Amino acid sequence: MNSLEIDYLVLLPALIPIAGIVIILVVDLVNPSLRQLPFAVAGLAAIGASVATYPGLDQVRGDAQATLCVPVGGWVGLNQGLQGLPRTCFWQADSLTSSLQLGAGIATLVVVLLAWPRTRARSVTEGTREPIMAILLLTAFAGTMVVAASRDLGTWLIGLELATLPVIGLVALSGRRGAVAGAVQLLVTSLVSFALLVLGAALWLVATGSPMLDANAALVGEGFQSEAASSAQVAWPEASTAILALAVVLMIAGLGFKLSLVPFHAWTPTAYSGATVPVATFLATVSKIGALAALVVILRAITVVGASALAAIALLAALSMTVGNLMALRQNDVVRLLAWSTVAQAGWVVLPLVSVSSLGNRAAGTYLLTYVIATSVAFAVVALMLRERPGSGRTIDAYEGLWHRSPWRAGALALALTSLAGLPPGIIGLVGKVVALRPVVVEGWIWLAVIAAANAVLGVAVYLRWLKPVISTTEAAETVQPTTRGPGSRRVIMVGLALSSALLVVVSVQPDVLLRLLG
């Protein structure tokens, strides 16, 4: 019973993207002239990984699929091994974890569709950007799947960096000056973030004496003599409580960079505007899912010891919502507007986490997936506009009269913007804001609820400013003729837009689909 217990079916959400990477490498070695096949493999890997999350989605609250388990003498864990032997598991996937993984899979599929090459083959003299991009996408996607289910410091840190470092290469891949500047800023930010995370992890290990990110380790760090601590004969000084609190604050700060929380947000507008639209979409969706999943792992571990180290979250949420909305109001470039929107929405995502509870964690997951779906639709419309108008598709003015030129595209963008604003017909956005505010009110954070309500009104102004020209039908807008010189396959981009829009329509008409998914 001292052997490692492995259930490969539970690991499939992470193994499938890795298998996709291997296939792309082999295919590119055999026939390097293909351009679309690497993206086809990446798309299939995203679909397969999404399907593989189903067993975790089917778990009732309190249960989880676990693997990579080892029996530990004297360790009383949540999962019991055969014949009553206690065990600790390095990988656990419950309904919240699997929902975040599913969201990452769908968002990755949309990104693959937005980045789809226009031609099937390339000449021998051309570069190999397509397989490189597909590999980097799948690597970052695999890291997101890993960090969501990891329950030990080593796997958690590796998964986080696996989800981050490939994105730096994706940003720089286009080779433009703005892309290089964005990649360098993202690299520097990532290094600072990783330093904070490693320092926080080291302090966690000092305070708890355990590499596991679970409640038993946190209890030991707080000085509680639980059955687990007594049987292991672990006794830590009272200073371990302060060390544990500092560890949590440092790890929250490190994840603040990845979530684009103020004041760790400076890289966001530069990286978004320098990257291609598909890469910016990945940064705004999949990367944010990975960061929140990592934060939820930490918060679940400290649920049993209270919220003494989490007052900083309330301040980060308030600052992020306010600064993000105020800066978004000044943007005429829609990509930079969406970048500052990410900062503001990140504040809403962490808002319910002031409640260190399952309610807070699931409310944060609900709001994040709402934001991811709506933002994917908005970026898909931008990608299609840039495909038709490479020179002017990034300005708000380019959307003048879109409702007249393309009603279905304007409708999709209108639904996305109203969802982000929390207005009808984007009902899911309104539901998401109510769900996010509920733990705040329950825990008595009245001042934070007032700031959130004020920012909800401010956010309406941000998104209606973009929506106003969309529904305009001026004669000048009606006579504009689109071009077809932009990058990417227009038909496949339209498929990505249709997929993300259909999903947004479903959750707007039936919000309980998303709410039940997250418990």
Side-chain angles (χ1 to χ4, degrees):
M1 292 302 298
N2 292 323
S3 60
L4 179 67
E5 302 176 17
I6 302 179
D7 186 347
Y8 290 101
L9 290 177
V10 181
L11 295 173
L12 274 181
L15 294 178
I16 291 176
I18 295 173
I21 294 171
V22 175
I23 293 173
I24 293 173
L25 289 171
V26 172
V27 169
D28 189 58
L29 182 64
V30 174
N31 190 349
S33 66
L34 298 177
R35 298 185 68 179
Q36 294 184 344
L37 188 58
F39 284 86
V41 174
L44 290 174
I47 294 173
S50 300
V51 173
T53 63
Y54 175 75
L57 296 173
D58 200 37
Q59 300 293 310
V60 298
R61 183 180 296 185
D63 290 342
Q65 282 197 318
T67 186
L68 300 178
C69 301
V70 291
V72 178
W75 189 291
V76 180
L78 296 177
N79 303 291
Q80 295 296 321
L82 296 176
Q83 300 177 356
L85 282 176
R87 63 176 183 167
T88 184
C89 299
F90 296 87
W91 182 287
Q92 294 182 31
D94 60 5
S95 59
L96 176 57
T97 297
S98 297
S99 296
L100 294 175
Q101 290 177 329
L102 176 62
I106 295 174
T108 301
L109 176 60
V110 172
V111 170
V112 169
L113 294 174
L114 298 186
W116 197 274
R118 283 184 292 171
T119 58
R120 294 183 178 180
R122 62 176 180 267
S123 65
V124 178
T125 59
E126 287 183 303
T128 57
R129 186 161 61 182
E130 288 78 14
I132 292 175
M133 185 174 183
I135 289 172
L136 291 176
L137 281 173
L138 284 182
T139 303
F141 173 47
T144 301
M145 304 300 263
V146 169
V147 75
S150 61
R151 294 297 182 269
D152 67 285
L153 285 172
T155 307
W156 186 78
L157 285 171
I158 292 173
L160 264 177
E161 293 314 298
L162 195 63
T164 302
L165 295 179
V167 183
I168 300 173
L170 287 171
V171 173
L173 199 58
S174 67
R176 300 193 306 269
R177 180 178 298 179
V180 174
V184 170
Q185 193 165 358
L186 183 55
L187 175 61
V188 173
T189 300
S190 298
L191 292 176
V192 175
S193 170
F194 186 66
L196 291 174
L197 291 170
V198 170
L199 181 57
L203 292 177
W204 176 280
L205 189 60
V206 169
T208 66
S210 170
M212 302 304 299
L213 294 168
D214 61 14
N216 286 329
L219 282 173
V220 173
E222 284 288 317
F224 290 99
Q225 290 301 313
S226 63
E227 183 180 351
S230 299
S231 58
Q233 296 182 347
V234 178
W236 296 94
E238 292 183 0
S240 64
T241 300
I243 295 175
L244 180 63
L246 180 59
V248 174
V249 169
L250 287 173
M251 288 190 281
I252 291 174
L255 292 172
F257 282 103
K258 301 181 187 300
L259 277 168
S260 299
L261 293 171
V262 175
F264 313 112
H265 67 289
W267 64 272
T268 308
T270 306
Y272 278 44
S273 59
T276 62
V277 171
V279 174
T281 307
F282 192 90
L283 278 168
T285 57
V286 182
S287 294
K288 297 299 176 283
I289 291 175
L292 178 67
L295 183 57
V296 167
V297 171
I298 297 297
L299 297 183
R300 282 179 161 178
I302 64 171
T303 299
V304 293
V305 298
S308 58
L310 296 181
I313 286 184
L315 181 60
L316 292 177
L319 287 175
S320 299
M321 288 186 289
T322 305
V323 173
N325 282 324
L326 290 176
M327 292 302 297
L329 278 171
R330 302 175 55 188
Q331 306 303 317
N332 190 50
D333 184 312
V334 294
V335 175
R336 292 184 70 88
L337 187 152
L338 288 171
W340 285 108
S341 167
T342 297
V343 175
Q345 299 292 342
W348 279 97
V349 169
V350 301
L351 180 68
L353 297 180
V354 295
S355 171
V356 189
S357 63
S358 176
L359 174 64
N361 294 337
R362 292 176 185 275
T366 300
Y367 195 90
L368 177 64
L369 293 184
T370 299
Y371 155 78
V372 164
I373 297 170
T375 301
S376 298
V377 174
F379 268 112
V381 174
V382 173
L384 197 55
M385 182 66 74
L386 287 174
R387 174 68 177 85
E388 298 176 347
R389 303 180 177 194
S392 61
R394 289 179 64 130
T395 63
I396 290 180
D397 295 338
Y399 294 81
E400 189 85 20
L402 181 61
W403 188 273
H404 180 82
R405 299 195 306 272
S406 179
W408 79 272
R409 196 189 313 175
L413 181 58
L415 184 60
L417 295 179
T418 53
S419 295
L420 291 171
L423 294 173
I427 300 299
I428 187 61
L430 178 60
V431 172
K433 282 182 167 55
V434 172
V435 170
L437 280 171
R438 181 184 174 193
V440 179
V441 176
V442 169
E443 294 290 336
W445 295 80
I446 304 301
W447 68 268
L448 185 58
V450 171
I451 292 177
N455 274 281
V457 176
L458 190 58
V460 170
V462 170
Y463 300 110
L464 289 187
R465 178 170 168 263
W466 186 0
L467 183 60
K468 181 181 177 181
V470 171
I471 61 178
S472 172
T473 56
T474 61
E475 293 183 3
E478 293 172 7
T479 58
V480 174
Q481 297 296 323
T483 64
T484 57
R485 296 175 296 175
S489 173
R490 184 175 184 275
R491 291 183 178 179
V492 182
I493 292 175
M494 291 179 68
V495 172
L497 175 57
L499 173 64
S500 54
S501 299
L503 188 58
L504 183 57
V505 169
V506 169
V507 296
S508 294
V509 174
Q510 293 289 338
D512 61 308
V513 172
L514 185 58
L515 297 178
R516 290 178 181 177
L517 187 69
L518 288 156

